[in-house]
Amino acid sequence: MTNDIDSSLEPPAPKPPTVVHDHWIGLRSLTPSRIALGRAGHAVPTRELLRADAAHARARAAVHAPLEVASLRAELEAVPGLAPPLEVRSAASTRDHYLLRPDLGRRLSAESRQQLRDVSSAPAACDLLLVIGDGLSTSAVQRHAVAVVTAITAARPANWSLGPPVIATEARVALGDEIGKLLRGQLVAMLIGERPGLSCQESLGIYLTWQPQPGRTDAERNCLSNIHPGGLSPSDAASRLWWLATEARRLATTGVALKDRSSSFALANASTERITPPTAQ
Amino acid sequence: MSYQHTLDGRVWHFDNLATLLAKASPYRSGDVLAGVAAESPVERTAAKMALAEVSLSRFLAEPVVPAELDEVTRLILDSHDAKAFQPVAHLTVGDFRDWLLGELADEATLTAIGAGLTPEMAAAVSKLMRNQDLISVARKCRVVTRFRNTIGLPGTLAMRLQPNHPADDLGGILAGVLDGLMYGCGDAVIGVNPVSDDMTTLATLLRGLDEVIDRFEIPTQSCVLAHVTSQLEAIEAGLPVDLVFQSIGGTEATNQSFGITLSLLREAREAAMALGRGTIGSNVMYFETGQGSALSADAHHGVDQQTLEARAYGVARAFDPLICNTVVGFIGPEYLHNGKQIIRAGLEDHFCGKLLGLPIGCDACYTNHAEADADDMDTLMTLLAAAGVTFLIGVPGADDVMLGYQSLSFHDALYLREVFGLRRAPEFEAWLATMELADERGRLLPVSPRHPLLTLQG
């Protein structure tokens, strides 16, 4: 291919860059969104593609990794001022079963129900019962639940009694209703792993329900969400929970009738205008 | 009435039309959860065979949800156009599938019969169709709508730019808007899902989006997807509302769970029309739907989730929306378990919407607790583009940091344009060329660091 000798004398044409970078990358300080990724042809460049893959893998792990109950139990036993924890599981027998049958995640297994019936003949009724449920992010529970329980226990007002903390696996929010009724809690607070996103896989939510019993609806609960290092801190979550609990006792209710004015922090209604109820728990 | 079919020596009975439709539905977790799915593949096939023999006119005589209980049923029956129905009135569901696939059913004919079809007829025939049937028939349908640009023209694909932010921060949202515009997205709508429904937030977002559209003279429309009552309040407060959004479902009780009635939607549409903000058209509504919403609201009346989804389109088309999309993988694995189910549902929803005359798009998406991934979304968007989908949703890097799920990215739109030769809404594409963001064929151009759009933040 030497038919054009002159061409070898000209400087080579500049090659187009393999990856086109975006000038507005500085705007990333304004949003956690994946903006200014650049492109390889029409596609996301390899580096960003793999970064997203890693985030998805972490989110999948958050959903599917089993809760390490023994270590959670040991940590809860070390929290000052708290009775030894109980352990229960829902009627969903496996994680896949749990994901496909939310109704089973809202009921205790027969064994756990009997266990709580046996226990409930012993301890007195309590003002607030804490249930720690794995929900849709076991990582959130594993990483943050003890800190939140510790903060709640430390901030307990003098005229409030706490029941024994309950660790619940394959749990949906409403599982707290049956547990709360069996253990005679005036209020139940379900601390539960929230549905993980790509950018945050470890967010914890707290659902507070007055006079828990099976059949309570989401409209009868108050919710604190977004509890993780980049969101609501354990101590803020604890103080807001006690504010809600005190109001719940005063009004003898939770839910839509109890407006959360404890701070301007947004409640967990992010997806109310989408096609599902916000909790989907 | 009851239905039956004999298959392999066994007689299968189906108590009523709703049961028959449910048993004939392709397997999906939501119908199993609702307890309406076929017990076995053989029962499913028998139901499909029985359904194939049901006359289309039977659907007018036997509503799947009783009219006295449900205003959506009444809307469907009251708005049925018997004259438009005439050409297919004599067909069974099975023959209707053959007819739809045949040459007689061209674009003009399909447009003409749309008002004569009920959502249940569309759902029924979709249950007998393979994925390729859903694609090839939908591709023949044409629905064109206008507000500040023209959506749905042949050979085009529009994109909703979805720049959500976890704290509704306007600066963060505008960073997302800039990113999307630079990638040539935003012709369907620039639509933000707010975290908070309060009026201060709404005012900030509506004004912020309006200023960008106005300042750069972008031929598109904005929407803040708050509850319809909040948007009505915003209109009354004199805020710049282009499209009015609402999530809708296929039964009155589902809509109640969303806090809406048909008369509230009528009121909202009239209020938005009265503003006269559309420059070339007056399609002012934007709807989202999704299989499973009725079951999740305990409002399904024993009807399968896909038939109820089609009924939501019956609601949507009564309000002449600019756009409507199914949020197909958002609801979770208890309704659509995996990539296969999400892909099938996306194609069904698009087919039913188009057949009913709706400018339907799709939020091709999945959650992290579903058995799906980005490869499934590649498959779904490619199939939807082949089916002529009106629009898709783009989020920076496909990661919605507010709603916590994955949709498509702006890059994905570029892929579909390249592979299928799809253009944007013509007014929007002309704007991109004027702004030197794309060439005359719609391909992205290198952007100068001093491009005026980069001052959008300043």
Side-chain angles (χ1 to χ4, degrees):
Chain A
M1 308 300 277
T2 55
N3 56 340
D4 187 357
I5 292 166
D6 287 346
S7 70
S8 64
L9 300 174
E10 291 175 7
K15 284 185 189 164
T18 314
V19 171
V20 178
H21 296 284
D22 295 331
H23 301 304
W24 53 98
I25 196 159
L27 298 183
R28 282 196 186 173
S29 62
L30 297 175
T31 174
S33 291
R34 290 168 198 265
I35 62 167
L37 298 183
R39 57 190 171 89
H42 56 250
V44 173
T46 305
R47 183 188 145 90
E48 294 293 345
L49 179 73
L50 295 179
R51 199 166 69 93
D53 274 359
H56 188 234
R58 280 193 289 271
R60 299 285 292 158
V63 173
H64 289 279
L67 188 65
E68 289 170 29
V69 174
S71 65
L72 184 62
R73 181 192 179 92
E75 287 181 77
L76 285 171
E77 280 171 349
V79 175
L82 212 52
L86 304 170
E87 289 168 29
V88 298
R89 59 175 304 130
S90 79
S93 53
T94 64
R95 197 61 174 165
D96 283 339
H97 205 202
Y98 168 79
L99 291 172
L100 288 172
R101 292 287 305 271
D103 53 326
L104 298 181
R106 299 183 188 117
R107 295 203 304 265
L108 285 168
S109 69
E111 196 181 32
S112 290
R113 184 175 300 130
Q114 192 53 49
Q115 177 201 339
L116 291 193
R117 280 197 180 122
D118 296 345
V119 169
S120 64
S121 54
C126 59
D127 296 321
L128 178 65
L129 183 72
L130 300 179
V131 180
I132 299 110
D134 50 3
L136 287 169
S137 172
T138 55
S139 327
V141 175
Q142 210 86 55
R143 301 280 291 265
H144 309 309
V146 173
V148 176
V149 169
T150 305
I152 292 169
T153 311
R156 177 178 64 87
N159 56 341
W160 282 79
S161 62
L162 280 175
V166 181
I167 301 170
T169 47
E170 310 303 1
R172 303 265 171 183
V173 169
L175 188 65
D177 297 341
E178 187 176 5
I179 298 171
K181 178 158 174 69
L182 287 170
L183 293 180
R184 291 182 290 153
Q186 181 77 280
L187 281 159
V188 65
M190 171 66 101
L191 284 65
I192 194 162
E194 295 183 328
R195 198 171 94 172
L198 277 201
S199 297
C200 177
Q201 296 93 25
E202 296 175 354
S203 185
L204 205 62
I206 305 181
Y207 292 78
L208 185 67
T209 310
W210 175 255
Q211 290 186 344
Q213 55 183 320
R216 290 282 184 220
T217 68
D218 287 347
E220 296 174 286
R221 312 184 199 285
N222 289 89
C223 171
L224 298 170
S225 80
N226 216 19
I227 304 165
H228 59 91
L232 195 60
S233 70
S235 61
D236 286 347
S239 61
R240 292 193 55 199
L241 179 67
W242 283 116
W243 187 92
L244 284 171
T246 306
E247 280 296 286
R249 183 189 265 181
R250 187 175 68 80
L251 299 169
T253 189
T254 46
V256 287
L258 200 179
K259 291 281 183 198
D260 183 7
R261 287 181 293 268
S262 61
S263 92
S264 61
F265 207 90
L267 286 184
N269 58 356
S271 59
T272 48
E273 303 318 321
R274 247 16 196 346
I275 54 168
T276 42
T279 63
Q281 298 275 7
Chain B
M1 68 179 258
S2 70
Y3 302 82
Q4 65 176 55
H5 193 84
T6 306
L7 181 59
D8 298 341
R10 175 167 171 186
V11 184
W12 296 85
H13 292 276
F14 307 98
D15 287 345
N16 52 46
L17 198 48
T19 304
L20 183 63
L21 286 164
K23 299 276 189 185
S25 299
Y27 176 82
R28 66 201 53 192
S29 48
D31 289 339
V32 176
L33 184 61
V36 301
E39 304 270 331
S40 70
V42 179
E43 185 185 24
R44 178 171 295 110
T45 308
K48 286 165 78 165
M49 288 172 161
L51 181 60
E53 289 166 16
V54 175
S55 160
L56 287 184
S57 55
R58 181 71 210 151
F59 289 84
L60 298 171
E62 191 183 344
V64 295
V65 181
E68 58 274 22
L69 295 181
D70 190 279
E71 66 170 352
V72 174
T73 300
R74 294 196 291 276
L75 171 73
I76 290 167
L77 295 178
D78 293 349
S79 61
H80 181 253
D81 183 339
K83 189 155 173 281
F85 183 51
Q86 201 55 44
V88 292
H90 63 288
L91 297 176
T92 62
V93 177
D95 291 340
F96 185 43
R97 173 182 171 275
D98 294 336
W99 184 88
L100 285 169
L101 289 161
E103 287 172 16
L104 280 177
D106 58 11
E107 182 185 318
T109 311
L110 288 171
T111 304
I113 66 159
L117 299 176
T118 66
E120 290 85 351
M121 295 175 196
V125 73
S126 79
K127 294 177 194 299
L128 304 185
M129 294 169 93
R130 295 248 307 271
N131 283 1
Q132 65 164 290
D133 304 340
L134 298 171
I135 292 169
S136 62
V137 176
R139 190 177 175 77
K140 294 196 280 186
C141 300
R142 181 68 42 213
V143 185
V144 178
T145 55
R146 292 178 179 87
F147 188 79
R148 289 199 192 105
N149 56 25
T150 312
I151 291 174
L153 291 173
T156 66
L157 166 72
M159 290 296 290
R160 167 179 164 191
L161 198 176
Q162 182 171 301
N164 296 341
H165 186 278
D168 291 333
D169 177 74
L170 181 62
I173 285 168
L174 292 184
V177 171
L178 173 95
D179 199 58
L181 291 174
M182 287 297 195
Y183 276 79
C185 288
D187 46 355
V189 64
I190 301 175
V192 179
N193 298 87
V195 179
S196 164
D197 230 24
D198 73 64
M199 208 38 63
T200 319
T201 306
L202 246 60
T204 306
L205 299 184
L206 284 166
R207 288 203 186 101
L209 295 177
D210 185 53
E211 274 168 30
V212 170
I213 289 174
D214 186 57
R215 179 172 155 207
F216 295 100
E217 300 178 328
I218 311 172
T220 191
Q221 37 282 329
S222 71
C223 187
V224 178
L225 288 75
H227 192 265
V228 66
T229 49
S230 303
Q231 294 169 88
L232 268 169
E233 215 178 306
I235 290 175
E236 280 160 25
L239 292 165
V241 175
D242 289 347
L243 303 185
V244 171
F245 167 83
Q246 182 55 44
S247 289
I248 55 170
T251 66
E252 180 176 337
T254 310
N255 287 330
Q256 255 166 21
S257 80
F258 287 133
I260 60 158
T261 59
L262 298 180
S263 73
L264 182 60
L265 294 178
R266 274 183 215 109
E267 187 190 337
R269 177 166 180 264
E270 281 161 22
M273 299 262 290
L275 297 179
R277 292 176 60 83
T279 49
I280 64 166
S282 56
N283 297 111
V284 296
M285 300 300 286
Y286 173 20
F287 296 115
E288 281 192 333
T289 62
Q291 292 190 24
S293 64
L295 175 57
S296 129
D298 199 17
H300 62 92
H301 298 276
V303 180
D304 70 90
Q305 64 185 34
Q306 190 257 335
T307 299
L308 292 176
E309 173 71 4
R311 283 168 55 98
Y313 306 153
V315 173
R317 71 172 171 179
F319 298 93
D320 296 322
L322 181 77
I323 47 174
C324 170
N325 65 267
T326 169
V327 193
V328 73
F330 184 75
I331 193 160
E334 63 268 43
Y335 302 94
L336 293 169
H337 181 215
N338 54 23
K340 181 181 171 73
Q341 292 182 17
I342 292 171
I343 289 164
R344 171 75 195 183
L347 293 175
E348 290 167 346
D349 293 352
H350 177 253
F351 162 81
C352 288
K354 279 285 162 69
L355 195 60
L356 294 169
L358 209 55
I360 188 161
C362 182
D363 188 356
C365 62
Y366 63 105
T367 61
N368 290 311
H369 61 316
E371 291 297 318
D373 61 20
D375 283 335
D376 294 311
M377 295 306 104
D378 287 350
T379 305
L380 177 56
M381 72 172 156
T382 305
L383 296 178
L384 284 170
V389 70
T390 303
F391 75 107
L392 295 166
I393 292 186
V395 182
D399 173 15
D400 190 305
V401 294
M402 194 282 270
L403 291 168
Y405 76 118
Q406 286 89 257
S407 181
L408 301 181
S409 66
F410 305 136
H411 299 73
D412 292 332
L414 297 180
Y415 150 74
L416 293 173
R417 295 192 191 294
E418 184 165 301
V419 170
F420 290 95
L422 293 167
R423 309 295 291 260
R424 302 170 182 89
E427 301 84 353
F428 188 83
E429 195 152 287
W431 175 81
L432 287 175
T434 307
M435 296 294 285
E436 298 179 339
L437 291 173
D439 67 16
E440 74 286 351
R441 289 173 54 196
R443 292 174 308 193
L444 292 192
L445 292 170
V447 179
S448 151
R450 284 170 299 283
H451 192 280
L453 210 55
L454 293 172
T455 64
L456 181 150
Q457 277 294 323

